[in-house]
Short mmCIF file of all heavy atoms in Angstrom, two decimals:
data_model
loop_
_atom_site.label_atom_id
_atom_site.label_comp_id
_atom_site.label_asym_id
_atom_site.label_seq_id
_atom_site.Cartn_x
_atom_site.Cartn_y
_atom_site.Cartn_z
N ARG A 10 245.50 -82.14 74.87
CA ARG A 10 244.40 -81.91 73.94
C ARG A 10 243.10 -81.80 74.72
O ARG A 10 242.84 -82.59 75.61
CB ARG A 10 244.38 -83.07 72.95
CG ARG A 10 243.06 -83.21 72.27
CD ARG A 10 242.97 -84.33 71.27
NE ARG A 10 244.15 -85.11 71.02
CZ ARG A 10 244.28 -85.90 69.95
NH1 ARG A 10 243.30 -85.95 69.08
NH2 ARG A 10 245.34 -86.61 69.79
N ARG A 13 236.93 -84.20 74.46
CA ARG A 13 235.73 -84.05 73.64
C ARG A 13 234.57 -83.64 74.50
O ARG A 13 234.41 -84.10 75.60
CB ARG A 13 235.38 -85.38 72.99
CG ARG A 13 236.33 -85.77 71.92
CD ARG A 13 235.77 -86.93 71.21
NE ARG A 13 236.75 -87.47 70.29
CZ ARG A 13 236.51 -88.49 69.49
NH1 ARG A 13 235.34 -89.07 69.52
NH2 ARG A 13 237.43 -88.93 68.69
N ARG A 14 233.79 -82.77 73.97
CA ARG A 14 232.60 -82.39 74.72
C ARG A 14 231.37 -82.82 73.97
O ARG A 14 231.29 -82.70 72.77
CB ARG A 14 232.57 -80.87 74.89
CG ARG A 14 233.89 -80.33 75.40
CD ARG A 14 233.69 -79.32 76.45
NE ARG A 14 234.65 -78.24 76.33
CZ ARG A 14 234.31 -77.03 75.95
NH1 ARG A 14 233.05 -76.76 75.68
NH2 ARG A 14 235.21 -76.09 75.87
N ARG A 16 227.71 -81.89 73.43
CA ARG A 16 226.73 -80.87 73.74
C ARG A 16 225.73 -80.77 72.61
O ARG A 16 225.72 -79.84 71.85
CB ARG A 16 227.41 -79.53 73.91
CG ARG A 16 228.70 -79.66 74.70
CD ARG A 16 228.87 -78.53 75.60
NE ARG A 16 229.82 -77.58 75.07
CZ ARG A 16 229.63 -76.30 75.06
NH1 ARG A 16 228.51 -75.81 75.50
NH2 ARG A 16 230.52 -75.49 74.59
N ARG A 20 225.50 -77.15 70.51
CA ARG A 20 226.33 -77.08 69.32
C ARG A 20 225.78 -76.24 68.18
O ARG A 20 226.44 -75.31 67.73
CB ARG A 20 226.63 -78.49 68.80
CG ARG A 20 227.78 -79.15 69.47
CD ARG A 20 229.12 -78.53 69.11
NE ARG A 20 230.18 -79.32 69.71
CZ ARG A 20 230.91 -78.93 70.74
NH1 ARG A 20 230.72 -77.75 71.29
NH2 ARG A 20 231.82 -79.73 71.23
N VAL A 52 235.90 -79.12 65.56
CA VAL A 52 236.72 -79.46 64.42
C VAL A 52 235.84 -79.41 63.17
O VAL A 52 234.63 -79.58 63.24
CB VAL A 52 237.32 -80.85 64.67
CG1 VAL A 52 236.96 -81.80 63.57
CG2 VAL A 52 238.82 -80.74 64.85
N THR A 55 232.82 -81.61 62.42
CA THR A 55 231.67 -81.55 63.31
C THR A 55 230.53 -80.73 62.72
O THR A 55 229.35 -81.01 62.95
CB THR A 55 232.10 -80.96 64.67
OG1 THR A 55 233.15 -81.76 65.19
CG2 THR A 55 230.94 -80.95 65.64
N ARG A 58 227.81 -82.56 61.03
CA ARG A 58 226.82 -83.31 61.79
C ARG A 58 225.52 -82.52 61.90
O ARG A 58 224.45 -83.06 62.09
CB ARG A 58 227.37 -83.66 63.17
CG ARG A 58 226.39 -84.40 64.06
CD ARG A 58 227.09 -85.23 65.09
NE ARG A 58 227.82 -86.31 64.45
CZ ARG A 58 227.25 -87.44 64.04
NH1 ARG A 58 225.98 -87.66 64.24
NH2 ARG A 58 227.96 -88.36 63.45
N TYR A 59 225.65 -81.22 61.80
CA TYR A 59 224.48 -80.38 62.03
C TYR A 59 223.97 -79.67 60.79
O TYR A 59 222.82 -79.28 60.71
CB TYR A 59 224.80 -79.35 63.12
CG TYR A 59 225.17 -80.00 64.42
CD1 TYR A 59 226.50 -80.19 64.79
CD2 TYR A 59 224.18 -80.47 65.28
CE1 TYR A 59 226.84 -80.82 65.98
CE2 TYR A 59 224.51 -81.09 66.48
CZ TYR A 59 225.84 -81.26 66.81
OH TYR A 59 226.17 -81.88 67.98
P DT E 3 222.54 -99.35 70.03
OP1 DT E 3 221.11 -99.33 69.73
OP2 DT E 3 223.51 -99.89 69.05
"O5'" DT E 3 222.97 -97.88 70.40
"C5'" DT E 3 222.30 -97.23 71.47
"C4'" DT E 3 222.91 -95.86 71.70
"O4'" DT E 3 224.25 -96.02 72.22
"C3'" DT E 3 223.06 -95.03 70.43
"O3'" DT E 3 222.22 -93.89 70.57
"C2'" DT E 3 224.54 -94.67 70.35
"C1'" DT E 3 225.01 -94.92 71.78
N1 DT E 3 226.43 -95.33 71.94
C2 DT E 3 227.27 -94.55 72.68
O2 DT E 3 226.92 -93.51 73.21
N3 DT E 3 228.56 -95.02 72.79
C4 DT E 3 229.07 -96.17 72.23
O4 DT E 3 230.24 -96.49 72.40
C5 DT E 3 228.13 -96.94 71.46
C7 DT E 3 228.57 -98.22 70.82
C6 DT E 3 226.87 -96.50 71.35
P DG E 4 221.56 -93.24 69.27
OP1 DG E 4 220.27 -92.66 69.71
OP2 DG E 4 221.61 -94.16 68.13
"O5'" DG E 4 222.58 -92.06 69.02
"C5'" DG E 4 222.82 -91.12 70.05
"C4'" DG E 4 224.06 -90.32 69.72
"O4'" DG E 4 225.22 -91.14 70.00
"C3'" DG E 4 224.18 -89.92 68.24
"O3'" DG E 4 224.90 -88.70 68.16
"C2'" DG E 4 225.07 -91.01 67.68
"C1'" DG E 4 226.04 -91.11 68.84
N9 DG E 4 226.89 -92.27 68.81
C8 DG E 4 226.72 -93.42 68.10
N7 DG E 4 227.68 -94.28 68.27
C5 DG E 4 228.53 -93.65 69.16
C6 DG E 4 229.76 -94.09 69.72
O6 DG E 4 230.34 -95.15 69.55
N1 DG E 4 230.30 -93.13 70.59
C2 DG E 4 229.73 -91.91 70.86
N2 DG E 4 230.38 -91.13 71.69
N3 DG E 4 228.58 -91.49 70.34
C4 DG E 4 228.05 -92.41 69.50
P DA E 5 224.17 -87.34 67.94
OP1 DA E 5 222.96 -87.26 68.75
OP2 DA E 5 224.10 -87.16 66.48
"O5'" DA E 5 225.23 -86.31 68.52
"C5'" DA E 5 225.45 -86.29 69.92
"C4'" DA E 5 226.91 -86.00 70.22
"O4'" DA E 5 227.72 -87.18 70.01
"C3'" DA E 5 227.52 -84.91 69.36
"O3'" DA E 5 228.36 -84.12 70.19
"C2'" DA E 5 228.32 -85.68 68.30
"C1'" DA E 5 228.78 -86.90 69.10
N9 DA E 5 228.95 -88.12 68.31
C8 DA E 5 228.08 -88.64 67.40
N7 DA E 5 228.50 -89.77 66.85
C5 DA E 5 229.72 -89.99 67.46
C6 DA E 5 230.68 -91.02 67.32
N6 DA E 5 230.53 -92.07 66.50
N1 DA E 5 231.80 -90.94 68.08
C2 DA E 5 231.94 -89.90 68.90
N3 DA E 5 231.12 -88.87 69.12
C4 DA E 5 230.02 -88.98 68.36
P DA E 6 229.09 -82.85 69.58
OP1 DA E 6 229.25 -81.91 70.69
OP2 DA E 6 228.41 -82.45 68.33
"O5'" DA E 6 230.52 -83.42 69.21
"C5'" DA E 6 231.37 -83.86 70.26
"C4'" DA E 6 232.67 -84.37 69.68
"O4'" DA E 6 232.42 -85.60 68.98
"C3'" DA E 6 233.34 -83.43 68.68
"O3'" DA E 6 234.62 -83.09 69.20
"C2'" DA E 6 233.43 -84.23 67.38
"C1'" DA E 6 233.27 -85.67 67.85
N9 DA E 6 232.63 -86.56 66.89
C8 DA E 6 231.43 -86.37 66.26
N7 DA E 6 231.10 -87.36 65.45
C5 DA E 6 232.14 -88.25 65.56
C6 DA E 6 232.40 -89.50 64.96
N6 DA E 6 231.57 -90.08 64.09
N1 DA E 6 233.55 -90.12 65.29
C2 DA E 6 234.38 -89.54 66.16
N3 DA E 6 234.25 -88.38 66.79
C4 DA E 6 233.10 -87.77 66.44
P DT E 7 235.64 -82.23 68.35
OP1 DT E 7 236.46 -81.51 69.33
OP2 DT E 7 234.93 -81.50 67.30
"O5'" DT E 7 236.55 -83.33 67.66
"C5'" DT E 7 237.10 -84.35 68.48
"C4'" DT E 7 237.87 -85.35 67.62
"O4'" DT E 7 236.94 -86.11 66.81
"C3'" DT E 7 238.84 -84.71 66.63
"O3'" DT E 7 240.14 -85.23 66.89
"C2'" DT E 7 238.33 -85.10 65.25
"C1'" DT E 7 237.53 -86.36 65.56
N1 DT E 7 236.41 -86.66 64.64
C2 DT E 7 236.40 -87.85 63.98
O2 DT E 7 237.28 -88.70 64.09
N3 DT E 7 235.31 -88.05 63.16
C4 DT E 7 234.25 -87.17 62.97
O4 DT E 7 233.33 -87.47 62.22
C5 DT E 7 234.33 -85.94 63.68
C7 DT E 7 233.25 -84.92 63.53
C6 DT E 7 235.40 -85.74 64.48
P DG E 8 241.45 -84.37 66.53
OP1 DG E 8 242.49 -84.72 67.50
OP2 DG E 8 241.06 -82.97 66.30
"O5'" DG E 8 241.84 -84.99 65.12
"C5'" DG E 8 242.07 -86.38 65.03
"C4'" DG E 8 242.22 -86.77 63.57
"O4'" DG E 8 240.92 -86.87 62.96
"C3'" DG E 8 243.00 -85.77 62.72
"O3'" DG E 8 243.69 -86.51 61.72
"C2'" DG E 8 241.90 -84.95 62.06
"C1'" DG E 8 240.91 -86.06 61.79
N9 DG E 8 239.55 -85.62 61.56
C8 DG E 8 238.98 -84.42 61.89
N7 DG E 8 237.72 -84.33 61.55
C5 DG E 8 237.45 -85.55 60.95
C6 DG E 8 236.27 -86.04 60.37
O6 DG E 8 235.17 -85.48 60.28
N1 DG E 8 236.43 -87.33 59.88
C2 DG E 8 237.60 -88.06 59.94
N2 DG E 8 237.57 -89.27 59.40
N3 DG E 8 238.71 -87.60 60.47
C4 DG E 8 238.57 -86.35 60.95
P DA E 9 245.23 -86.25 61.50
OP1 DA E 9 245.95 -86.51 62.75
OP2 DA E 9 245.38 -84.94 60.80
"O5'" DA E 9 245.55 -87.42 60.47
"C5'" DA E 9 244.97 -88.70 60.69
"C4'" DA E 9 244.28 -89.19 59.44
"O4'" DA E 9 242.98 -88.57 59.28
"C3'" DA E 9 245.05 -88.90 58.15
"O3'" DA E 9 244.95 -90.06 57.34
"C2'" DA E 9 244.28 -87.73 57.53
"C1'" DA E 9 242.85 -88.08 57.95
N9 DA E 9 241.94 -86.95 57.99
C8 DA E 9 242.17 -85.69 58.47
N7 DA E 9 241.14 -84.89 58.38
C5 DA E 9 240.16 -85.67 57.80
C6 DA E 9 238.82 -85.41 57.44
N6 DA E 9 238.23 -84.24 57.63
N1 DA E 9 238.11 -86.41 56.88
C2 DA E 9 238.71 -87.59 56.70
N3 DA E 9 239.95 -87.96 57.00
C4 DA E 9 240.63 -86.94 57.56
P DG E 10 245.88 -90.20 56.05
OP1 DG E 10 246.42 -91.56 56.08
OP2 DG E 10 246.75 -89.01 55.95
"O5'" DG E 10 244.81 -90.13 54.87
"C5'" DG E 10 243.65 -90.96 54.99
"C4'" DG E 10 242.65 -90.58 53.93
"O4'" DG E 10 241.92 -89.40 54.32
"C3'" DG E 10 243.27 -90.25 52.56
"O3'" DG E 10 242.44 -90.85 51.58
"C2'" DG E 10 243.19 -88.73 52.49
"C1'" DG E 10 241.88 -88.50 53.23
N9 DG E 10 241.72 -87.16 53.77
C8 DG E 10 242.66 -86.37 54.39
N7 DG E 10 242.20 -85.20 54.76
C5 DG E 10 240.87 -85.23 54.37
C6 DG E 10 239.86 -84.24 54.50
O6 DG E 10 239.93 -83.13 55.00
N1 DG E 10 238.66 -84.68 53.95
C2 DG E 10 238.45 -85.88 53.37
N2 DG E 10 237.22 -86.13 52.90
N3 DG E 10 239.38 -86.82 53.24
C4 DG E 10 240.56 -86.41 53.76
P DT E 11 243.10 -91.19 50.18
OP1 DT E 11 243.07 -92.64 49.99
OP2 DT E 11 244.37 -90.44 50.03
"O5'" DT E 11 242.04 -90.53 49.21
"C5'" DT E 11 240.66 -90.78 49.44
"C4'" DT E 11 239.82 -89.71 48.77
"O4'" DT E 11 239.76 -88.54 49.60
"C3'" DT E 11 240.35 -89.24 47.40
"O3'" DT E 11 239.35 -89.48 46.43
"C2'" DT E 11 240.62 -87.75 47.59
"C1'" DT E 11 239.73 -87.40 48.79
N1 DT E 11 240.20 -86.24 49.58
C2 DT E 11 239.33 -85.24 49.89
O2 DT E 11 238.15 -85.24 49.54
N3 DT E 11 239.86 -84.21 50.62
C4 DT E 11 241.17 -84.09 51.04
O4 DT E 11 241.54 -83.12 51.68
C5 DT E 11 242.04 -85.18 50.68
C7 DT E 11 243.46 -85.16 51.08
C6 DT E 11 241.52 -86.20 49.98
#
Side-chain angles (χ1 to χ4, degrees):
Chain A
R10 160 179 357 196
R13 289 190 189 182
R14 311 223 218 110
R16 318 218 258 135
R20 276 290 186 252
V52 123
T55 303
R58 177 155 293 280
Y59 300 97

